[in-house]
Amino acid sequence: MVLVAAAALAVGAPDAARAAPRPSDPEATTRVGYGGHEFTVPASWEVVDLDEHPDACVRFDRHAVYLGTPGNRPDCPAGARGRTEALLVEPSSAAGSTVTENRTAGTYRVVADGVAVTAAYADDRARIQSILGGAGLPVAAAQTEPTAGAPGAAPLPADATSYRGRGFDACTAPDQSAMDAWWSTSGYRAVGVYIGGINRACSQSKLTAEWVRTQYTRGWRFIPLYVGRQPASGSGSCVGGCAVITSPVSQGIAAADDAVRQAAALGFGKGSVIYNDLENYTPGGALTTRVLGYLDAYTERLHTLGYRSGAYGNVGSLVTDLVANRSSTTLPDVLHFARWNSQATTADPAIPATLWSEHQRIHQYQGDTAETHGGVKINVDRNQLDVD
């Protein structure tokens, strides 16, 4: 990905960048203009012109401002996770204005006066509010996103999240031509999509209900992944920093509510499996207690809402904790376990044969690997599915 320094930016829009920062001032800011709005952001933030760099990966795990429409083939790493303050500012022809906030996922979505803005935040919500308000966008009028149970897209058939065979997941949903090329030449038939969560790092410009239904009609099946709060920050895939679990039960319930809301909006109906992505950590003590409390609350709430619970984790951390505490916690219905041993099987010595034994497993057997099929390269994780 090519990132352009804010002071040197020359964006295609006529009102691009107007003020150079003072690098010696730690609180220096720069003003970035786009679509008639001026965004005042810290001078240290990178600014990316997506028209000039269509292969740039729009990520919310680093401080940045992305201007323009994301390209069809962004060069995204498969394993990006995390969240910080960042903006994606796109052109919009929509009439009127709407402002919504998802507090669970740390995201504002604003459509107003010719622009559509996705604004992510982790610890500094006030800074994002200030940036949006300073650009003349009605952030103070933000409405909370609908709760779980609100009407979504027409639900897909019940087998949308069931498959036995090979699958892949990528940080951002591929465009249609890429999906068609991979269907024809790759041998994969299931695709992992990151439907939401505060630590979902990559933007999802292609991931819509229409996209999901089109893939289903073509034969694809799905691994819906929700990247909520994490056990720890600064390790595993969270080297850039992740929002962490601090209140396991309430945050687990909130994650389940939000996961169902995002799933339903894409067409994943009741009975679908939604996988809570929990990255690697060092098990033991209070950390294990927090993780299991969070996942237990998530699973119980999903069951109440009519969905099946899946959990993604490493065999040396989450799987170890689930197996050791199987008599005292509500186990997820499907286990998506990571052991990068290049063996496309769902059996593993860390998992007793009696657990998740009724077609309830996915093995991620290789991670963050560039593959090319039909002339299309995507960075993926490889999975073997056995899910009914």
Side-chain angles (χ1 to χ4, degrees):
M1 179 168 77
V2 180
L3 295 177
V4 183
L9 177 70
V11 180
D15 54 344
R18 292 202 261 262
R22 293 171 292 150
S24 61
D25 183 352
E27 296 300 318
T29 59
T30 190
R31 297 190 299 276
V32 179
Y34 190 88
H37 297 270
E38 190 171 80
F39 300 87
T40 302
V41 300
S44 59
W45 287 21
E46 295 171 301
V47 182
V48 182
D49 178 358
L50 295 173
D51 292 329
E52 290 188 1
H53 305 288
D55 62 340
C57 181
V58 177
R59 296 172 58 171
F60 300 131
D61 61 340
R62 56 184 58 182
H63 291 305
V65 181
Y66 301 92
L67 302 174
T69 303
N72 286 334
R73 301 285 172 80
D75 186 14
C76 292
R81 307 287 188 277
R83 176 57 59 97
T84 191
E85 291 69 47
L87 298 173
L88 168 61
V89 186
E90 304 176 76
S92 173
S93 58
S97 65
T98 60
V99 188
T100 60
E101 182 184 14
N102 184 329
R103 289 293 297 271
T104 302
T107 307
Y108 279 100
R109 293 183 176 87
V110 184
V111 177
D113 302 326
V115 296
V117 182
T118 302
Y121 61 85
D123 299 325
D124 205 345
R125 177 173 176 254
R127 183 184 292 276
I128 288 297
Q129 290 175 323
S130 176
I131 292 170
L132 295 176
L137 298 173
V139 64
Q143 301 294 312
T144 302
E145 286 193 358
T147 59
L156 296 167
D159 66 343
T161 60
S162 299
Y163 185 68
R164 301 183 195 179
R166 294 177 62 210
F168 75 92
D169 59 85
C171 195
T172 188
D175 73 334
Q176 191 58 57
S177 62
M179 292 299 294
D180 290 343
W182 276 48
W183 177 267
S184 299
T185 60
S186 72
Y188 291 117
R189 293 295 181 262
V191 56
V193 289
Y194 291 89
I195 66 170
I198 191 168
N199 288 306
R200 181 178 70 173
C202 294
S203 73
Q204 299 289 342
S205 62
K206 307 303 179 188
L207 187 57
T208 64
E210 180 181 3
W211 184 94
V212 171
R213 184 163 291 276
T214 297
Q215 308 327 311
Y216 180 86
T217 301
R218 280 163 161 74
W220 290 98
R221 297 300 180 259
F222 302 94
I223 312 167
L225 292 149
Y226 184 85
V227 194
R229 289 180 173 269
Q230 295 298 305
S233 188
S235 62
S237 294
C238 292
V239 290
C242 281
V244 299
I245 300 166
T246 56
S247 180
V249 174
S250 62
Q251 289 170 346
I253 292 171
D257 284 343
D258 189 46
V260 166
R261 178 168 56 245
Q262 306 306 329
L266 293 170
F268 296 111
K270 292 184 178 182
S272 299
V273 187
I274 309 176
Y275 298 84
N276 196 308
D277 182 326
L278 289 158
E279 294 297 310
N280 195 29
Y281 61 95
T282 302
L287 186 54
T288 288
T289 300
R290 286 200 301 272
V291 170
L292 294 181
Y294 172 86
L295 188 56
D296 184 273
Y298 173 85
T299 296
E300 292 283 358
R301 180 60 175 164
L302 277 191
H303 289 169
T304 298
L305 295 171
Y307 284 74
R308 290 189 288 163
S309 169
Y312 168 86
N314 194 278
V315 291
S317 53
L318 180 64
V319 175
T320 296
D321 276 342
L322 287 173
V323 171
N325 294 278
R326 58 189 179 274
S327 63
S328 58
T329 192
T330 303
L331 294 177
D333 301 294
V334 183
L335 182 67
H336 184 184
F337 64 94
R339 186 193 291 276
W340 293 357
N341 59 7
S342 300
Q343 297 179 17
T345 174
T346 56
D348 191 275
I351 307 172
T354 55
L355 294 181
W356 301 286
S357 59
E358 300 296 326
H359 307 292
Q360 297 167 277
R361 297 186 184 186
I362 302 175
H363 177 195
Q364 185 184 92
Y365 60 88
Q366 190 67 49
D368 210 2
T369 300
E371 288 192 31
T372 300
H373 300 285
V376 178
K377 185 181 80 169
I378 306 175
N379 295 315
V380 304
D381 298 324
R382 299 171 180 166
N383 303 282
Q384 182 70 24
L385 292 82
D386 182 14
V387 182
D388 284 354

